[in-house]
């Protein structure tokens, strides 16, 4: 998959200059001529994936920075400070680009789906797979949008600019029922269990089932979540024996725990991720120790409370959270002292040697098997199967070197699962979404500036101004 992306993504990324909400094709006149062969559709689907490469460079700001386990310590980066302190407005750049880029994904998926329906299966031999991938990616885009913005326009086919100007925001439940769930159900039926060769990294049956389960969990449909997650456990996934191997980028990222990543390619083409630089303190000792190029972005600093939540023998702590003042340990066991300047804490999860600054091979893990096991534990517990829930929770704890839980009440188990998600998935884009979907966001974040209406972000000012009809296309409450 990384090889396929490397052939096409640079051109596609550079071509994304349009604004508005990207509801119409960039070149509708040539669409029929372009989509003919199996490779035409394969290339078009890669174009959908490549837009997610852009989205996920910053999407952690919603999942992590808006939560309580990550903070922006370097005060010069105002946008990050505002997200961290619940000061985002409709003019915040992240809000604007997130909306546009997700609708760019949707427009590309809609274009593929509108064209492939009439394609000859004898020529487009992977027709079902292309449909499954496009629907999976469209569902992921809409899932992100409704979790970030709430009600958003529902667009399931290419439309004209005039039609777009008459498209209002639809209720979240309608988008779940008519697009997200149906797309994922179709995707799980059409996608293969696994790939080989250069196709490895594309969306699979397991990815569709896992995302569908997360959708059910978000909607508190625990019975359907339980069923879907049980199906995922039969598809051959397993936890890596060593937690740190998840973040060892000298090894293949497509391992037994891999379910779906946003794929990046290093090698000087500008198709790598920025994560290695973004999450590094701007200290020469750290830059040199990890073999980075360029400067540290000083973003995504762990908060001090998250340090104390790790048990003393938790094998995850050393790579998940670190204090600059503790220094580094060289391969021969010597301590390399560091002096904090702008940031005092950081995570080592995305550190890997680079050939070029901001061009890392580190993927973004959208769903991995530990996430599935913890979701499964949550669903089982909420349906009254606490003993079975503890079995799955303890699988994750055992890998971390921690003692198993037993004989807990349903309420105690629920809290243990919530805590385990914080520790296992720190700085992987989950915390804020977990707090919101479980109804705990205000209690956890009010002291940091959150107000009751801030379970969603403001709709971009650009969209409000384009439609220019508050009754038809309103701003989210509290952001006017």
């Amino acid at each position: 998959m990384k090889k396929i992306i490397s052939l096409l993504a640079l051109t596609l990324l550079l071509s994304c200059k349009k604004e508005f909400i990207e509801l119409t094709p960039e070149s509708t006149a040539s669409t029929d001529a372009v989509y003919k062969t199996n490779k035409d559709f394969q290339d078009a689907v890669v174009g959908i994936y490549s837009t997610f490469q852009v989205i996920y460079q910053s999407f952690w700001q919603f999942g992590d920075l808006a939560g309580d386990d990550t903070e922006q310590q370097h005060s010069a980066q105002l946008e990050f400070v505002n997200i961290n302190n619940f000061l985002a407005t409709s003019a915040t750049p992240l809000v604007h680009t997130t909306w546009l880029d997700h609708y760019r994904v949707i427009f590309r998926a809609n274009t593929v789906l509108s064209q492939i329906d009439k394609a000859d299966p004898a020529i487009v031999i992977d027709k079902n797979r292309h449909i499954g991938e496009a629907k999976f990616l469209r569902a992921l885009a809409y899932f992100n949008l409704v979790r970030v913005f709430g009600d958003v326009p529902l667009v399931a086919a290419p439309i004209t600019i005039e039609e777009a100007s008459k498209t209002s925001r639809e209720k979240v439940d309608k988008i779940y029922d008519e697009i997200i769930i149906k797309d994922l159900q179709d995707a799980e039926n059409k996608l293969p269990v696994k790939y080989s060769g250069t196709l490895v990294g594309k969306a699979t049956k397991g990815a569709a089932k896992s995302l569908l389960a997360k959708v059910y969990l978000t909607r508190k449909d625990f019975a359907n979540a339980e069923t879907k997650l049980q199906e995922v456990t039969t598809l051959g996934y397993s936890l890596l024996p060593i937690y740190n191997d998840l973040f060892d980028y000298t090894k293949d990222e497509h391992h037994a725990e891999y379910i779906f990543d946003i794929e990046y390619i290093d090698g000087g083409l500008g198709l790598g991720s920025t994560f290695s630089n973004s999450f590094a303190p701007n200290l020469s000792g750290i830059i040199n120790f990890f073999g980075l190029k360029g400067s540290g972005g000083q973003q995504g600093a762990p908060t001090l409370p998250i340090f104390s939540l790790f048990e003393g023998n938790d094998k995850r702590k050393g790579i998940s959270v670190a204090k600059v003042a503790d220094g580094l340990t060289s391969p021969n066991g010597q301590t390399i002292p560091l002096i904090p300047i702008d940031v005092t804490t950081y995570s080592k999860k995305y550190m890997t040697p680079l050939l070029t600054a901001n061009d890392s091979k580190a993927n973004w893990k959208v769903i991995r098997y530990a996430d599935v096991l913890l979701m499964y534990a949550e669903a089982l517990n909420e349906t009254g199967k606490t003993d079975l829930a503890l079995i799955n929770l303890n699988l994750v704890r055992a890998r971390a070197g921690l003692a198993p839980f037993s004989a807990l009440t349903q309420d105690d188990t629920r809290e243990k699962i919530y805590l385990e998600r914080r520790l296992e998935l720190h700085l992987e884009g989950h915390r804020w979404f977990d707090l919101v979907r479980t109804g705990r966001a205000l209690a956890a974040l009010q002291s940091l500036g959150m107000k009751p209406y801030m379970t969603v972000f403001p709709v971009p000012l650009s969209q409000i101004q384009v439609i220019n009809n508050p009754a038809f296309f309103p701003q989210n409450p509290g952001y006017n």
Side-chain angles (χ1 to χ4, degrees):
M1 181 59 180
K2 290 198 175 194
K3 292 178 181 177
I4 293 173
I5 289 177
S6 68
L7 295 174
L8 296 172
L10 186 59
T11 300
L12 289 164
L13 292 175
L14 292 174
S15 71
C16 295
K17 299 297 184 183
K18 291 181 64 180
E19 294 198 352
F20 192 42
I21 85 174
E22 287 289 1
L23 301 183
T24 54
E26 290 161 339
S27 181
T28 51
S30 61
T31 299
D32 290 335
V34 170
Y35 297 110
K36 294 292 186 183
T37 68
N38 193 63
K39 186 177 184 304
D40 292 337
F41 283 103
Q42 177 171 288
D43 291 351
V45 171
V46 169
I48 309 174
Y49 285 100
S50 71
T51 311
F52 275 115
Q53 289 181 314
V54 178
I55 289 169
Y56 275 88
Q57 301 277 18
S58 57
F59 200 68
W60 66 273
Q61 294 178 49
F62 297 107
D64 294 301
L65 192 54
D68 51 350
D69 293 336
T70 306
E71 63 186 2
Q72 181 58 33
Q73 296 178 0
H74 184 40
S75 60
Q77 297 169 317
L78 185 59
E79 181 179 359
F80 294 93
V81 173
N82 287 342
I83 297 293
N84 190 189
N85 294 321
F86 294 94
L87 298 173
T89 71
S90 61
T92 297
L94 174 67
V95 170
H96 175 78
T97 58
T98 298
W99 179 284
L100 292 183
D101 287 336
H102 277 87
Y103 273 104
R104 190 166 286 123
V105 167
I106 291 163
F107 129 67
R108 288 180 172 177
N110 286 344
T111 303
V112 168
L113 292 169
S114 70
Q115 293 299 309
I116 203 167
D117 185 56
K118 57 193 175 187
D120 183 351
I123 297 174
V124 183
I125 58 175
D126 296 314
K127 180 174 179 176
N128 274 348
R129 193 193 83 209
H130 299 322
I131 293 172
E133 289 181 82
K135 288 194 172 183
F136 171 84
L137 296 169
R138 183 171 69 176
L140 176 58
Y142 269 118
F143 186 45
N144 286 348
L145 283 171
V146 297
R147 291 188 298 164
V148 171
F149 297 109
D151 300 346
V152 294
L154 192 163
V155 185
I159 59 177
T160 66
I161 292 293
E162 182 180 1
E163 290 170 329
S165 67
K166 298 176 182 178
T167 302
S168 63
R169 299 173 67 190
E170 291 287 358
K171 295 296 183 184
V172 168
D173 284 343
K174 182 174 182 178
I175 294 170
Y176 273 123
D177 291 336
E178 295 190 7
I179 286 286
I180 298 173
I181 291 175
K182 288 182 178 179
D183 273 2
L184 290 172
Q185 288 172 336
D186 199 21
E188 69 174 324
N189 290 326
K190 287 184 166 64
L191 292 171
V193 173
K194 61 182 179 180
Y195 296 94
S196 60
T198 59
L199 297 180
V200 172
K202 283 176 165 282
T204 61
K205 188 180 297 292
K209 288 179 182 291
S210 299
L211 186 59
L212 180 55
K214 182 160 288 194
V215 168
Y216 287 141
L217 207 63
T218 300
R219 301 189 84 193
K220 295 181 170 52
D221 183 352
F222 299 112
N224 273 325
E226 176 191 336
T227 298
K228 202 54 58 180
L229 290 161
Q230 189 278 329
E231 292 172 9
V232 178
T233 66
T234 69
L235 296 178
Y237 299 110
S238 62
L239 297 177
L240 291 184
I242 301 172
Y243 182 79
N244 285 14
D245 283 353
L246 287 163
F247 309 100
D248 183 348
Y249 303 102
T250 66
K251 299 179 179 178
D252 187 359
E253 290 183 80
H254 305 110
H255 42 62
E257 193 165 337
Y258 177 105
I259 295 181
F260 185 71
D261 284 6
I262 303 301
E263 304 269 333
Y264 294 92
I265 310 100
D266 67 337
L269 294 174
L271 300 175
S273 71
T274 61
F275 306 131
S276 298
N277 287 97
S278 294
F279 299 133
N282 195 24
L283 294 172
S284 60
I286 288 177
I287 300 295
N288 295 333
F289 183 85
F290 290 107
L292 307 180
K293 295 290 189 295
S295 59
Q298 312 204 108
Q299 301 163 16
T303 59
L304 287 179
I306 189 70
F307 284 81
S308 63
L309 295 177
F310 285 95
E311 295 177 45
N313 59 334
D314 194 323
K315 295 178 180 179
R316 299 170 296 195
K317 183 176 182 179
I319 195 167
S320 297
V321 295
K323 295 179 180 178
V324 174
D326 290 342
L328 295 162
T329 302
S330 69
N332 61 8
Q334 298 296 310
T335 298
I336 302 171
L338 298 169
I339 300 175
I341 299 177
D342 295 315
V343 298
T344 60
T345 64
Y346 67 106
S347 176
K348 301 176 183 177
K349 278 190 171 182
Y350 300 92
M351 300 303 159
T352 187
L354 306 179
L355 296 174
T356 308
N358 295 304
D359 196 22
S360 172
K361 67 181 73 174
N363 285 350
W364 188 263
K365 296 169 177 58
V366 177
I367 304 175
R368 57 183 176 87
Y369 193 55
D371 184 9
V372 165
L373 290 175
L374 293 173
M375 288 194 292
Y376 193 24
E378 186 175 340
L380 287 165
N381 189 54
E382 297 300 335
T383 55
K385 304 178 182 72
T386 297
D387 289 344
L388 293 176
L390 288 173
I391 292 173
N392 289 278
L393 173 60
N394 286 333
L395 287 173
V396 177
R397 286 180 59 79
R399 198 255 302 270
L402 304 176
F405 292 125
S406 62
L408 297 181
T409 66
Q410 184 185 42
D411 288 344
D412 285 343
T413 299
R414 181 182 298 115
E415 294 303 317
K416 296 298 185 185
I417 293 168
Y418 290 163
L419 175 58
E420 206 65 34
R421 288 188 64 82
R422 293 179 75 175
L423 304 178
E424 175 71 23
L425 303 169
H426 175 66
L427 199 56
E428 295 182 45
H430 298 277
R431 177 60 177 165
W432 183 75
F433 295 115
D434 280 350
L435 286 171
V436 172
R437 72 174 177 81
T438 57
R440 298 173 297 135
L442 188 61
L445 303 172
Q446 190 169 18
S447 63
L448 302 177
M450 184 180 184
K451 295 180 173 59
Y453 62 85
M454 292 180 179
T455 53
V456 291
F457 282 75
V459 172
L461 179 62
S462 59
Q463 304 309 305
I464 300 296
Q465 291 175 332
V466 165
I467 303 298
N468 196 29
N469 185 342
F472 177 72
F473 201 94
Q475 179 57 271
N476 282 329
Y479 291 108
N480 290 312

